Amino acid sequence: MNEELTNNYNEENGMFESRLKVQELNHLAFRIRNEIGKVIVGQERVLDLLLTALLANGHVLIEGVPGVAKTLIAKLLAKTINTGFSRIQFTPDLMPSDVLGTTIFNNASSAFEFKSGPIFSNLILIDEVNRAPAKTQSALFEVMEERQATIDGVTHPMANPFLVIATQNPVEHEGTYRLPEAQLDRFIFKIKIDYPDVEEEVSILQNSCARGTAKETDEVQPVVSAEEIIEFQELTRQVIVDQQLLHYIATIVERTRKNSALYLGASPRASLAILNTAKAYAALEGRDFVTPEDIHEVIYPVLCHRVILSPEKEMEGIRPESIIRQIVDSVEIPR
């Protein structure tokens, strides 16, 4: 057993005592789920992954057909956090200045002034990210990676916390600009939202009838401040990861590079993403140490958009999830 964990063992009650304030985070996550649950039926997994990405300080790509509440979930999450929120609808005529902002001449002061664009906020929703041309996409991804924008030679840092949630439609590709693999790699998670089952859809209809003319967002109240999110992000970085689990993560990622079914394997950035999101997931669960189960919860949304199937497997209709599952199953779980 890890020595640091052993030191937190209370012999009187036979339980581990957390050295971090993860229980506070666990209670906060419960409150956020409850607030969003007033409107969203099901999708608990999606919400958990969004909270995990927020704590891990990473960005998220949500993929799903129209009408499955991709945009609504992001808006409701933003409503629970007392911080800045902006939404950008990506279109084929969108220019980088429409996202970043521009410098204009002020006649009153006889000087140039920078007018910030909608990207200068805390939580940014990018609708239909694959609708904008490559130049606009590149401007967005530079800000996502560097967390700053350089305009006319002046660097403007982003505020903290800073989370981009982008959506895209997997079925309608006419007039879209596919995201290159290097840009997909900027997202810590790619989350797929499926249709609800019959019982969930009945609950959706019942909620709509009960709500009447009220807006969905009116039912959700802020439960956490931006300062608290920053504090919890710092707390998440202190979660313990055993050396054996680091080797476990590295082995899985390394095997994606040698698997014959994959044309392109995952990079070291994927290993870091698994590590950081596993820490965040453990903290959300109220623990200050990572378990193999935490890694299994995050490994698929981290890896699936970072690997490329071989042409043969793609023609066979194999999904990346299947190959990754085979790789994970082939690696012995640390005890």
Side-chain angles (χ1 to χ4, degrees):
M1 183 180 293
N2 188 299
E3 183 178 351
E4 290 183 82
L5 299 184
T6 306
N7 292 338
N8 294 330
Y9 188 75
N10 189 319
E11 295 183 356
E12 293 183 7
N13 56 23
M15 297 178 63
F16 286 102
E17 295 180 346
S18 174
R19 63 186 179 87
L20 303 175
K21 297 179 180 179
V22 288
Q23 290 302 326
E24 293 180 18
L25 176 55
N26 180 259
H27 295 154
L28 176 63
F30 179 77
R31 292 172 60 195
I32 292 176
R33 294 186 191 102
N34 278 350
E35 285 296 318
I36 297 179
K38 295 176 182 178
V39 178
I40 298 295
V41 177
Q43 308 298 357
E44 290 85 0
R45 167 74 172 163
V46 174
L47 184 54
D48 284 347
L49 290 177
L50 284 175
L51 291 174
T52 301
L54 177 62
L55 290 176
N57 208 15
H59 309 294
V60 177
L61 176 63
I62 301 179
E63 186 177 86
V65 298
V68 292
K70 301 187 298 295
T71 300
L72 182 58
I73 289 176
K75 290 168 65 176
L76 294 177
L77 176 62
K79 188 74 182 291
T80 64
I81 305 171
N82 191 15
T83 188
F85 172 72
S86 63
R87 174 184 176 184
I88 311 173
Q89 182 68 51
F90 269 28
T91 56
D93 60 348
L94 198 71
M95 299 298 292
S97 59
D98 297 325
V99 177
L100 304 179
T102 187
T103 303
I104 62 173
F105 185 76
N106 188 324
N107 289 320
S109 61
S110 298
F112 285 96
E113 293 181 357
F114 174 65
K115 297 295 183 181
S116 60
I119 196 66
F120 285 88
S121 190
N122 298 105
L123 201 157
I124 299 93
L125 170 62
I126 307 293
D127 252 338
E128 303 277 7
V129 66
N130 55 339
R131 291 284 175 192
K135 183 182 291 187
T136 305
Q137 289 180 0
S138 297
L140 168 67
F141 284 103
E142 181 180 359
V143 174
M144 288 170 54
E145 178 65 18
E146 304 297 333
R147 297 179 185 268
Q148 64 182 28
T150 303
I151 301 165
D152 294 332
V154 179
T155 299
H156 305 273
M158 298 292 116
N160 284 323
F162 180 64
L163 171 66
V164 172
I165 300 177
T167 71
Q168 70 175 13
N169 181 354
V171 295
E172 187 178 311
H173 295 294
E174 184 177 353
T176 64
Y177 301 83
R178 182 177 177 272
L179 298 180
E181 277 67 30
Q183 292 185 355
L184 282 174
D185 198 41
R186 304 300 182 188
F187 291 105
I188 202 165
F189 281 152
K190 180 180 179 182
I191 304 172
K192 295 184 178 180
I193 298 184
D194 296 320
Y195 288 117
D197 58 32
V198 174
E199 289 75 15
E200 290 174 340
E201 195 145 359
V202 169
S203 297
I204 292 171
L205 298 175
Q206 290 173 339
N207 288 351
S208 179
C209 292
R211 191 161 46 244
T213 58
K215 293 182 179 180
E216 295 99 332
T217 52
D218 292 341
E219 297 190 27
V220 175
Q221 302 301 320
V223 296
V224 62
S225 67
E227 292 75 18
E228 287 175 304
I229 291 295
I230 295 171
E231 180 183 342
F232 285 130
Q233 286 177 338
E234 179 59 35
L235 177 147
T236 297
R237 297 187 188 100
Q238 302 174 44
V239 171
I240 297 169
V241 186
D242 189 89
Q243 189 68 29
Q244 288 182 315
L245 291 180
L246 296 179
H247 189 269
Y248 181 61
I249 293 171
T251 302
I252 292 174
V253 172
E254 191 266 344
R255 291 194 183 183
T256 66
R257 304 165 192 160
K258 296 182 177 180
N259 193 291
S260 60
L262 297 176
Y263 172 74
L264 179 71
S267 68
R269 182 183 287 154
S271 300
L272 291 170
I274 295 171
L275 171 64
N276 293 331
T277 55
K279 286 183 175 183
Y281 195 89
L284 282 172
E285 292 294 304
R287 284 180 280 101
D288 64 355
F289 60 94
V290 172
T291 68
E293 288 71 24
D294 298 323
I295 295 172
H296 293 164
E297 290 290 342
V298 302
I299 200 165
Y300 297 100
V302 167
L303 290 182
C304 285
H305 63 292
R306 287 183 162 93
V307 299
I308 300 177
L309 290 170
S310 66
E312 297 79 14
K313 294 298 180 182
E314 195 167 2
M315 290 178 63
E316 293 175 12
I318 303 296
R319 297 170 64 88
E321 292 90 336
S322 301
I323 305 301
I324 294 171
R325 186 172 290 107
Q326 292 174 11
I327 293 172
V328 172
D329 291 343
S330 69
V331 180
E332 183 179 356
I333 300 174
R335 302 296 179 187

mmCIF file of all heavy atoms in Angstrom, residues 143-183:
data_model
loop_
_atom_site.group_PDB
_atom_site.id
_atom_site.type_symbol
_atom_site.label_atom_id
_atom_site.label_comp_id
_atom_site.label_asym_id
_atom_site.label_seq_id
_atom_site.Cartn_x
_atom_site.Cartn_y
_atom_site.Cartn_z
ATOM 1 N N VAL A 143 -5.772 29.923 -28.990
ATOM 2 C CA VAL A 143 -6.183 30.460 -27.692
ATOM 3 C C VAL A 143 -6.395 29.330 -26.695
ATOM 4 O O VAL A 143 -6.015 29.430 -25.520
ATOM 5 C CB VAL A 143 -7.464 31.299 -27.840
ATOM 6 C CG1 VAL A 143 -7.973 31.750 -26.471
ATOM 7 C CG2 VAL A 143 -7.220 32.500 -28.724
ATOM 8 N N MET A 144 -7.003 28.226 -27.142
ATOM 9 C CA MET A 144 -7.243 27.096 -26.260
ATOM 10 C C MET A 144 -5.942 26.537 -25.708
ATOM 11 O O MET A 144 -5.857 26.181 -24.523
ATOM 12 C CB MET A 144 -8.010 26.004 -27.007
ATOM 13 C CG MET A 144 -9.463 26.333 -27.287
ATOM 14 S SD MET A 144 -10.245 25.154 -28.418
ATOM 15 C CE MET A 144 -9.935 23.593 -27.615
ATOM 16 N N GLU A 145 -4.923 26.454 -26.543
ATOM 17 C CA GLU A 145 -3.659 25.858 -26.121
ATOM 18 C C GLU A 145 -2.821 26.832 -25.296
ATOM 19 O O GLU A 145 -2.318 26.486 -24.228
ATOM 20 C CB GLU A 145 -2.858 25.406 -27.349
ATOM 21 C CG GLU A 145 -1.499 24.812 -27.028
ATOM 22 C CD GLU A 145 -1.589 23.518 -26.259
ATOM 23 O OE1 GLU A 145 -2.660 22.888 -26.241
ATOM 24 O OE2 GLU A 145 -0.564 23.111 -25.665
ATOM 25 N N GLU A 146 -2.673 28.062 -25.794
ATOM 26 C CA GLU A 146 -1.793 29.034 -25.142
ATOM 27 C C GLU A 146 -2.491 29.794 -24.026
ATOM 28 O O GLU A 146 -1.830 30.431 -23.192
ATOM 29 C CB GLU A 146 -1.253 30.025 -26.184
ATOM 30 C CG GLU A 146 -0.532 29.384 -27.361
ATOM 31 C CD GLU A 146 0.714 28.631 -26.941
ATOM 32 O OE1 GLU A 146 1.306 29.006 -25.908
ATOM 33 O OE2 GLU A 146 1.100 27.677 -27.647
ATOM 34 N N ARG A 147 -3.841 29.788 -24.038
ATOM 35 C CA ARG A 147 -4.648 30.554 -23.073
ATOM 36 C C ARG A 147 -4.279 32.033 -23.100
ATOM 37 O O ARG A 147 -4.246 32.712 -22.069
ATOM 38 C CB ARG A 147 -4.507 29.965 -21.656
ATOM 39 C CG ARG A 147 -5.043 28.535 -21.607
ATOM 40 C CD ARG A 147 -4.922 27.884 -20.269
ATOM 41 N NE ARG A 147 -5.359 26.496 -20.377
ATOM 42 C CZ ARG A 147 -6.607 26.080 -20.162
ATOM 43 N NH1 ARG A 147 -7.532 26.947 -19.800
ATOM 44 N NH2 ARG A 147 -6.938 24.804 -20.290
ATOM 45 N N GLN A 148 -4.022 32.487 -24.309
ATOM 46 C CA GLN A 148 -3.775 33.890 -24.556
ATOM 47 C C GLN A 148 -3.947 34.156 -26.048
ATOM 48 O O GLN A 148 -3.897 33.230 -26.858
ATOM 49 C CB GLN A 148 -2.363 34.302 -24.107
ATOM 50 C CG GLN A 148 -1.263 33.608 -24.897
ATOM 51 C CD GLN A 148 0.123 33.973 -24.410
ATOM 52 O OE1 GLN A 148 0.322 34.301 -23.254
ATOM 53 N NE2 GLN A 148 1.107 33.927 -25.300
ATOM 54 N N ALA A 149 -4.180 35.418 -26.392
ATOM 55 C CA ALA A 149 -4.330 35.797 -27.793
ATOM 56 C C ALA A 149 -3.410 36.975 -28.068
ATOM 57 O O ALA A 149 -3.377 37.941 -27.296
ATOM 58 C CB ALA A 149 -5.774 36.165 -28.099
ATOM 59 N N THR A 150 -2.657 36.886 -29.174
ATOM 60 C CA THR A 150 -1.779 37.976 -29.575
ATOM 61 C C THR A 150 -2.389 38.675 -30.770
ATOM 62 O O THR A 150 -2.539 38.081 -31.845
ATOM 63 C CB THR A 150 -0.372 37.459 -29.913
ATOM 64 O OG1 THR A 150 0.158 36.769 -28.776
ATOM 65 C CG2 THR A 150 0.541 38.603 -30.283
ATOM 66 N N ILE A 151 -2.769 39.931 -30.587
ATOM 67 C CA ILE A 151 -3.449 40.702 -31.626
ATOM 68 C C ILE A 151 -2.698 42.009 -31.819
ATOM 69 O O ILE A 151 -2.495 42.769 -30.855
ATOM 70 C CB ILE A 151 -4.918 40.969 -31.236
ATOM 71 C CG1 ILE A 151 -5.641 39.627 -31.040
ATOM 72 C CG2 ILE A 151 -5.625 41.817 -32.293
ATOM 73 C CD1 ILE A 151 -6.947 39.737 -30.318
ATOM 74 N N ASP A 152 -2.248 42.252 -33.051
ATOM 75 C CA ASP A 152 -1.463 43.441 -33.390
ATOM 76 C C ASP A 152 -0.250 43.576 -32.482
ATOM 77 O O ASP A 152 0.112 44.674 -32.029
ATOM 78 C CB ASP A 152 -2.324 44.704 -33.299
ATOM 79 C CG ASP A 152 -3.433 44.723 -34.337
ATOM 80 O OD1 ASP A 152 -3.241 44.113 -35.404
ATOM 81 O OD2 ASP A 152 -4.484 45.321 -34.072
ATOM 82 N N GLY A 153 0.388 42.445 -32.187
ATOM 83 C CA GLY A 153 1.612 42.451 -31.405
ATOM 84 C C GLY A 153 1.435 42.566 -29.911
ATOM 85 O O GLY A 153 2.415 42.576 -29.168
ATOM 86 N N VAL A 154 0.186 42.623 -29.444
ATOM 87 C CA VAL A 154 -0.084 42.735 -28.011
ATOM 88 C C VAL A 154 -0.705 41.434 -27.520
ATOM 89 O O VAL A 154 -1.653 40.916 -28.124
ATOM 90 C CB VAL A 154 -1.035 43.916 -27.707
ATOM 91 C CG1 VAL A 154 -1.314 44.003 -26.208
ATOM 92 C CG2 VAL A 154 -0.439 45.221 -28.220
ATOM 93 N N THR A 155 -0.175 40.886 -26.425
ATOM 94 C CA THR A 155 -0.669 39.626 -25.869
ATOM 95 C C THR A 155 -1.734 39.900 -24.819
ATOM 96 O O THR A 155 -1.525 40.702 -23.907
ATOM 97 C CB THR A 155 0.484 38.828 -25.235
ATOM 98 O OG1 THR A 155 1.451 38.534 -26.242
ATOM 99 C CG2 THR A 155 -0.028 37.523 -24.642
ATOM 100 N N HIS A 156 -2.864 39.209 -24.972
ATOM 101 C CA HIS A 156 -3.982 39.368 -24.046
ATOM 102 C C HIS A 156 -4.262 38.009 -23.392
ATOM 103 O O HIS A 156 -4.696 37.078 -24.071
ATOM 104 C CB HIS A 156 -5.238 39.848 -24.775
ATOM 105 C CG HIS A 156 -5.035 41.114 -25.559
ATOM 106 N ND1 HIS A 156 -5.179 42.362 -24.998
ATOM 107 C CD2 HIS A 156 -4.684 41.312 -26.859
ATOM 108 C CE1 HIS A 156 -4.943 43.277 -25.919
ATOM 109 N NE2 HIS A 156 -4.637 42.673 -27.055
ATOM 110 N N PRO A 157 -3.998 37.855 -22.097
ATOM 111 C CA PRO A 157 -4.231 36.559 -21.433
ATOM 112 C C PRO A 157 -5.708 36.306 -21.197
ATOM 113 O O PRO A 157 -6.519 37.233 -21.059
ATOM 114 C CB PRO A 157 -3.486 36.720 -20.104
ATOM 115 C CG PRO A 157 -3.491 38.192 -19.842
ATOM 116 C CD PRO A 157 -3.428 38.862 -21.181
ATOM 117 N N MET A 158 -6.072 35.023 -21.147
ATOM 118 C CA MET A 158 -7.437 34.624 -20.829
ATOM 119 C C MET A 158 -7.646 34.645 -19.316
ATOM 120 O O MET A 158 -6.708 34.456 -18.546
ATOM 121 C CB MET A 158 -7.734 33.210 -21.348
ATOM 122 C CG MET A 158 -7.637 33.052 -22.855
ATOM 123 S SD MET A 158 -8.919 33.940 -23.733
ATOM 124 C CE MET A 158 -7.908 35.127 -24.640
ATOM 125 N N ALA A 159 -8.873 34.856 -18.909
ATOM 126 C CA ALA A 159 -9.205 34.830 -17.484
ATOM 127 C C ALA A 159 -9.286 33.384 -16.998
ATOM 128 O O ALA A 159 -9.467 32.455 -17.792
ATOM 129 C CB ALA A 159 -10.526 35.544 -17.235
ATOM 130 N N ASN A 160 -9.136 33.189 -15.708
ATOM 131 C CA ASN A 160 -9.293 31.867 -15.087
ATOM 132 C C ASN A 160 -10.581 31.825 -14.274
ATOM 133 O O ASN A 160 -10.918 32.819 -13.630
ATOM 134 C CB ASN A 160 -8.104 31.547 -14.174
ATOM 135 C CG ASN A 160 -6.874 31.152 -14.973
ATOM 136 O OD1 ASN A 160 -6.979 30.494 -15.997
ATOM 137 N ND2 ASN A 160 -5.717 31.589 -14.524
ATOM 138 N N PRO A 161 -11.286 30.692 -14.284
ATOM 139 C CA PRO A 161 -11.052 29.487 -15.091
ATOM 140 C C PRO A 161 -11.396 29.743 -16.556
ATOM 141 O O PRO A 161 -12.140 30.669 -16.877
ATOM 142 C CB PRO A 161 -12.004 28.468 -14.459
ATOM 143 C CG PRO A 161 -13.120 29.301 -13.915
ATOM 144 C CD PRO A 161 -12.487 30.574 -13.430
ATOM 145 N N PHE A 162 -10.857 28.894 -17.435
ATOM 146 C CA PHE A 162 -11.081 29.050 -18.874
ATOM 147 C C PHE A 162 -11.387 27.671 -19.465
ATOM 148 O O PHE A 162 -10.528 26.808 -19.487
ATOM 149 C CB PHE A 162 -9.850 29.652 -19.548
ATOM 150 C CG PHE A 162 -9.997 29.836 -21.031
ATOM 151 C CD1 PHE A 162 -10.937 30.704 -21.558
ATOM 152 C CD2 PHE A 162 -9.181 29.140 -21.907
ATOM 153 C CE1 PHE A 162 -11.060 30.883 -22.930
ATOM 154 C CE2 PHE A 162 -9.288 29.310 -23.274
ATOM 155 C CZ PHE A 162 -10.233 30.185 -23.793
ATOM 156 N N LEU A 163 -12.617 27.483 -19.902
ATOM 157 C CA LEU A 163 -13.050 26.186 -20.439
ATOM 158 C C LEU A 163 -13.818 26.412 -21.733
ATOM 159 O O LEU A 163 -14.771 27.198 -21.773
ATOM 160 C CB LEU A 163 -13.952 25.460 -19.434
ATOM 161 C CG LEU A 163 -14.656 24.188 -19.936
ATOM 162 C CD1 LEU A 163 -13.638 23.094 -20.234
ATOM 163 C CD2 LEU A 163 -15.684 23.698 -18.914
ATOM 164 N N VAL A 164 -13.391 25.735 -22.795
ATOM 165 C CA VAL A 164 -14.096 25.760 -24.077
ATOM 166 C C VAL A 164 -14.840 24.444 -24.244
ATOM 167 O O VAL A 164 -14.249 23.366 -24.145
ATOM 168 C CB VAL A 164 -13.124 25.970 -25.256
ATOM 169 C CG1 VAL A 164 -13.855 25.795 -26.590
ATOM 170 C CG2 VAL A 164 -12.495 27.353 -25.176
ATOM 171 N N ILE A 165 -16.151 24.547 -24.474
ATOM 172 C CA ILE A 165 -16.972 23.378 -24.806
ATOM 173 C C ILE A 165 -17.446 23.557 -26.233
ATOM 174 O O ILE A 165 -18.208 24.490 -26.534
ATOM 175 C CB ILE A 165 -18.173 23.239 -23.852
ATOM 176 C CG1 ILE A 165 -17.704 23.092 -22.406
ATOM 177 C CG2 ILE A 165 -19.037 22.041 -24.252
ATOM 178 C CD1 ILE A 165 -18.848 23.031 -21.401
ATOM 179 N N ALA A 166 -16.975 22.710 -27.125
ATOM 180 C CA ALA A 166 -17.343 22.789 -28.536
ATOM 181 C C ALA A 166 -18.272 21.640 -28.888
ATOM 182 O O ALA A 166 -18.169 20.543 -28.332
ATOM 183 C CB ALA A 166 -16.099 22.749 -29.414
ATOM 184 N N THR A 167 -19.196 21.892 -29.808
ATOM 185 C CA THR A 167 -20.113 20.845 -30.259
ATOM 186 C C THR A 167 -19.950 20.634 -31.758
ATOM 187 O O THR A 167 -19.537 21.543 -32.492
ATOM 188 C CB THR A 167 -21.583 21.214 -29.966
ATOM 189 O OG1 THR A 167 -22.008 22.280 -30.838
ATOM 190 C CG2 THR A 167 -21.767 21.635 -28.524
ATOM 191 N N GLN A 168 -20.277 19.427 -32.197
ATOM 192 C CA GLN A 168 -20.331 19.164 -33.626
ATOM 193 C C GLN A 168 -21.320 18.043 -33.900
ATOM 194 O O GLN A 168 -21.604 17.211 -33.043
ATOM 195 C CB GLN A 168 -18.949 18.824 -34.194
ATOM 196 C CG GLN A 168 -18.371 17.487 -33.790
ATOM 197 C CD GLN A 168 -17.053 17.195 -34.503
ATOM 198 O OE1 GLN A 168 -16.441 18.059 -35.115
ATOM 199 N NE2 GLN A 168 -16.601 15.950 -34.422
ATOM 200 N N ASN A 169 -21.852 18.069 -35.125
ATOM 201 C CA ASN A 169 -22.846 17.100 -35.579
ATOM 202 C C ASN A 169 -22.138 16.007 -36.371
ATOM 203 O O ASN A 169 -21.447 16.309 -37.347
ATOM 204 C CB ASN A 169 -23.881 17.833 -36.450
ATOM 205 C CG ASN A 169 -24.982 16.912 -36.969
ATOM 206 O OD1 ASN A 169 -24.935 15.706 -36.780
ATOM 207 N ND2 ASN A 169 -25.949 17.490 -37.632
ATOM 208 N N PRO A 170 -22.262 14.724 -35.981
ATOM 209 C CA PRO A 170 -21.503 13.662 -36.651
ATOM 210 C C PRO A 170 -22.093 13.188 -37.977
ATOM 211 O O PRO A 170 -21.451 12.420 -38.685
ATOM 212 C CB PRO A 170 -21.537 12.527 -35.624
ATOM 213 C CG PRO A 170 -22.849 12.702 -34.932
ATOM 214 C CD PRO A 170 -23.068 14.192 -34.865
ATOM 215 N N VAL A 171 -23.302 13.631 -38.318
ATOM 216 C CA VAL A 171 -23.957 13.064 -39.500
ATOM 217 C C VAL A 171 -24.077 14.039 -40.661
ATOM 218 O O VAL A 171 -24.110 13.636 -41.816
ATOM 219 C CB VAL A 171 -25.362 12.519 -39.148
ATOM 220 C CG1 VAL A 171 -25.257 11.345 -38.200
ATOM 221 C CG2 VAL A 171 -26.249 13.597 -38.562
ATOM 222 N N GLU A 172 -24.156 15.321 -40.407
ATOM 223 C CA GLU A 172 -24.351 16.289 -41.479
ATOM 224 C C GLU A 172 -23.035 16.989 -41.758
ATOM 225 O O GLU A 172 -22.631 17.890 -41.041
ATOM 226 C CB GLU A 172 -25.418 17.306 -41.066
ATOM 227 C CG GLU A 172 -25.814 18.255 -42.179
ATOM 228 C CD GLU A 172 -26.911 19.199 -41.721
ATOM 229 O OE1 GLU A 172 -27.894 18.723 -41.154
ATOM 230 O OE2 GLU A 172 -26.744 20.412 -41.921
ATOM 231 N N HIS A 173 -22.346 16.576 -42.823
ATOM 232 C CA HIS A 173 -21.010 17.088 -43.095
ATOM 233 C C HIS A 173 -20.960 18.041 -44.279
ATOM 234 O O HIS A 173 -19.895 18.566 -44.605
ATOM 235 C CB HIS A 173 -20.040 15.926 -43.338
ATOM 236 C CG HIS A 173 -19.839 15.066 -42.126
ATOM 237 N ND1 HIS A 173 -19.228 15.526 -40.981
ATOM 238 C CD2 HIS A 173 -20.186 13.781 -41.872
ATOM 239 C CE1 HIS A 173 -19.188 14.561 -40.071
ATOM 240 N NE2 HIS A 173 -19.773 13.486 -40.589
ATOM 241 N N GLU A 174 -22.092 18.294 -44.932
ATOM 242 C CA GLU A 174 -22.108 19.215 -46.060
ATOM 243 C C GLU A 174 -21.819 20.638 -45.565
ATOM 244 O O GLU A 174 -22.453 21.147 -44.645
ATOM 245 C CB GLU A 174 -23.467 19.172 -46.757
ATOM 246 C CG GLU A 174 -23.529 20.031 -48.013
ATOM 247 C CD GLU A 174 -24.871 19.901 -48.718
ATOM 248 O OE1 GLU A 174 -25.674 19.064 -48.309
ATOM 249 O OE2 GLU A 174 -25.081 20.663 -49.662
ATOM 250 N N GLY A 175 -20.842 21.274 -46.174
ATOM 251 C CA GLY A 175 -20.494 22.640 -45.789
ATOM 252 C C GLY A 175 -19.726 22.742 -44.495
ATOM 253 O O GLY A 175 -19.687 23.807 -43.883
ATOM 254 N N THR A 176 -19.090 21.650 -44.068
ATOM 255 C CA THR A 176 -18.309 21.679 -42.830
ATOM 256 C C THR A 176 -16.824 21.549 -43.143
ATOM 257 O O THR A 176 -16.431 21.142 -44.235
ATOM 258 C CB THR A 176 -18.722 20.552 -41.873
ATOM 259 O OG1 THR A 176 -18.425 19.280 -42.487
ATOM 260 C CG2 THR A 176 -20.206 20.625 -41.548
ATOM 261 N N TYR A 177 -16.011 21.892 -42.158
ATOM 262 C CA TYR A 177 -14.552 21.825 -42.282
ATOM 263 C C TYR A 177 -14.051 20.880 -41.195
ATOM 264 O O TYR A 177 -14.022 21.238 -40.022
ATOM 265 C CB TYR A 177 -13.936 23.219 -42.121
ATOM 266 C CG TYR A 177 -14.424 24.224 -43.131
ATOM 267 C CD1 TYR A 177 -15.622 24.907 -42.923
ATOM 268 C CD2 TYR A 177 -13.695 24.493 -44.292
ATOM 269 C CE1 TYR A 177 -16.089 25.830 -43.842
ATOM 270 C CE2 TYR A 177 -14.149 25.415 -45.217
ATOM 271 C CZ TYR A 177 -15.346 26.084 -44.992
ATOM 272 O OH TYR A 177 -15.800 26.997 -45.915
ATOM 273 N N ARG A 178 -13.673 19.691 -41.597
ATOM 274 C CA ARG A 178 -13.270 18.657 -40.647
ATOM 275 C C ARG A 178 -12.071 19.116 -39.812
ATOM 276 O O ARG A 178 -11.120 19.703 -40.318
ATOM 277 C CB ARG A 178 -12.918 17.386 -41.414
ATOM 278 C CG ARG A 178 -12.521 16.203 -40.539
ATOM 279 C CD ARG A 178 -12.266 14.979 -41.416
ATOM 280 N NE ARG A 178 -11.819 13.855 -40.628
ATOM 281 C CZ ARG A 178 -10.553 13.606 -40.315
ATOM 282 N NH1 ARG A 178 -9.610 14.427 -40.747
ATOM 283 N NH2 ARG A 178 -10.225 12.559 -39.608
ATOM 284 N N LEU A 179 -12.130 18.837 -38.515
ATOM 285 C CA LEU A 179 -11.026 19.206 -37.630
ATOM 286 C C LEU A 179 -9.848 18.257 -37.850
ATOM 287 O O LEU A 179 -10.015 17.039 -37.760
ATOM 288 C CB LEU A 179 -11.470 19.129 -36.162
ATOM 289 C CG LEU A 179 -12.597 20.062 -35.722
ATOM 290 C CD1 LEU A 179 -12.882 19.846 -34.243
ATOM 291 C CD2 LEU A 179 -12.256 21.505 -35.984
ATOM 292 N N PRO A 180 -8.652 18.763 -38.113
ATOM 293 C CA PRO A 180 -7.473 17.894 -38.247
ATOM 294 C C PRO A 180 -7.155 17.216 -36.918
ATOM 295 O O PRO A 180 -7.554 17.682 -35.844
ATOM 296 C CB PRO A 180 -6.357 18.871 -38.650
ATOM 297 C CG PRO A 180 -7.053 20.107 -39.113
ATOM 298 C CD PRO A 180 -8.338 20.171 -38.357
ATOM 299 N N GLU A 181 -6.396 16.134 -37.001
ATOM 300 C CA GLU A 181 -6.055 15.382 -35.799
ATOM 301 C C GLU A 181 -5.290 16.247 -34.784
ATOM 302 O O GLU A 181 -5.477 16.122 -33.574
ATOM 303 C CB GLU A 181 -5.207 14.149 -36.161
ATOM 304 C CG GLU A 181 -6.017 12.953 -36.618
ATOM 305 C CD GLU A 181 -6.706 13.196 -37.957
ATOM 306 O OE1 GLU A 181 -6.166 13.963 -38.782
ATOM 307 O OE2 GLU A 181 -7.789 12.627 -38.184
ATOM 308 N N ALA A 182 -4.427 17.134 -35.276
ATOM 309 C CA ALA A 182 -3.663 17.982 -34.372
ATOM 310 C C ALA A 182 -4.562 18.920 -33.576
ATOM 311 O O ALA A 182 -4.260 19.261 -32.422
ATOM 312 C CB ALA A 182 -2.642 18.810 -35.164
ATOM 313 N N GLN A 183 -5.683 19.336 -34.168
ATOM 314 C CA GLN A 183 -6.622 20.199 -33.452
ATOM 315 C C GLN A 183 -7.520 19.393 -32.529
ATOM 316 O O GLN A 183 -7.856 19.842 -31.433
ATOM 317 C CB GLN A 183 -7.443 21.009 -34.448
ATOM 318 C CG GLN A 183 -6.612 22.030 -35.207
ATOM 319 C CD GLN A 183 -7.457 22.919 -36.109
ATOM 320 O OE1 GLN A 183 -8.656 22.717 -36.249
ATOM 321 N NE2 GLN A 183 -6.822 23.899 -36.724
#
